[in-house]
Structure formats: C-alpha cells, structure tokens
Amino acid sequence: MVALMALLGLVAGHQVRALADAYDDLASPPSWPPGVELLTAAVTALTAWLAGPPYAGLALAGTALAVIDWRTTLLPDAITLPAYPIIALTLLPTGELPRALLGAAALAAVYGLLWFARPAAMGLGDVKLAGLIGMAAAAMSWQTWVAAAFAGQVLGALYAVALLLTGRGDRHTQFPFGPFMLLGAFVALCLGW
C-alpha cells in the first residue's frame, strides 16, 4: 500500500509542479532531480504509512499548496476549496467524519480570529488551509488536532527567529506561513499525537 501511495504521489507530483508553475510567473523549467515530484511521493507515502491511507488526500493537496505558497505566497482557492470535499471523502473510512468537520470549523475559526486581529500578518488563504488541517487532524483525535494547531505556529516562529538571527529578515519580514502549518500537521498526523 505504501509503495502504491508513493507511486500515486510521484505521478501526482507532476501535476503539483504544473499547478505551482501556473501560479508562479518566474517558474523555472523542470529540473533534475525532479524535486517536486519526489517531495510529493515522499510526503504521500510517509503519510499513508504512518498515519494511514485516508490521510493521503491531505498529503497530496497539502504538498501542492505548500509548494505554491512557498514560491508565490498564495494559497489559491482553486485548490483549497475543492480539497474540502475530497479530503472529507478520503476520511470517510475513519468513521470520524462528524468530528473531522467540527475540527475543520474550529481550527478555521481560530485562524479566522488571528486573521481578524492582524490581517497584515496572515492571509485568508491560511484561514482556509487551517480548516483542511483541522479536518484531517480531528479525524485522528483531538490530541492530534491540538498538536497540529500548535506545531505549525511553533515551526513558523522558529523560522522567523532564524531569519532574525541570520540577518536575513527583521520583525516586519513576511514569509509564507502555509508550508509551516502543513509541516506541523504532517508531523502531528504521522506521529499520531
């Protein structure tokens, strides 16, 4: 099953690269090794192996969103919004869809409050992404939901501190937050916190 998920991720990785290129005006031609394809395959296989195949939907959508956000600072609705029903369908076998939907609404609400408090520091795309993360994490457990919610914040803060310490940024430097949210979610899901 893990090998099948890795193959699925490798094939989907080509589409992830094409999507990222479509949103990035400065997209470079495909390179060797095919980094986006290998990243998608690795994330999908690792998630399916450690968290379970139902979470592969978030792995695929999340990899696409992380790559696009890192390259363009955008989390496009054209990917985020259709991912909601797709991830909900992949989570059906867990038997925890009501809890997953509640988790989606709760984490989106938390990020919505953060956005409302400081709209210059966070985009609405992060709020919509939080719903996807909350859905997958809550389907596993509420503990995973809490870990996923905090892990993204901690990883983003560590990156900001690293920018400050290396002199590559100041306290006003903006960076894409979606990849850190997703990395935190994948760690929480894969470790089953």
Side-chain angles (χ1 to χ4, degrees):
M1 178 57 86
V2 174
L4 180 62
M5 288 293 155
L7 182 60
L8 172 67
L10 191 62
V11 171
H14 182 70
Q15 294 305 103
V16 168
R17 179 190 295 275
L19 280 170
D21 289 348
Y23 285 96
D24 187 359
D25 294 337
L26 303 174
S28 58
S31 60
W32 186 260
V36 174
E37 290 83 353
L38 294 175
L39 174 69
T40 307
V43 169
T44 304
L46 190 63
T47 303
W49 178 42
L50 296 173
Y55 300 95
L58 179 64
L60 290 170
T63 304
L65 289 166
V67 169
I68 292 168
D69 196 21
W70 190 258
R71 288 167 62 176
T72 67
T73 66
L74 293 173
L75 288 165
D77 287 347
I79 298 169
T80 308
L81 298 181
Y84 274 92
I86 293 168
I87 292 173
L89 285 173
T90 65
L91 292 174
L92 268 177
T94 67
E96 299 294 345
L97 193 55
R99 184 172 67 197
L101 295 175
L102 182 58
L107 197 56
V110 168
Y111 271 78
L113 289 173
L114 292 172
W115 172 80
F116 186 74
R118 290 203 54 216
M122 179 177 294
L124 274 175
D126 296 322
V127 176
K128 296 169 197 168
L129 175 59
L132 293 174
I133 291 169
M135 184 186 308
M140 185 170 280
S141 72
W142 285 116
Q143 293 85 355
T144 305
W145 183 90
V146 170
F150 282 109
Q153 295 288 327
V154 169
L155 291 170
L158 289 173
Y159 182 74
V161 168
L163 287 177
L164 289 171
L165 292 175
T166 60
R168 293 179 37 219
D170 59 30
R171 55 188 206 117
H172 300 290
T173 300
Q174 302 238 347
F175 58 88
F177 193 59
F180 300 101
M181 293 170 62
L182 287 158
L183 181 58
F186 290 131
V187 168
L189 286 168
C190 290
L191 294 179
W193 286 339

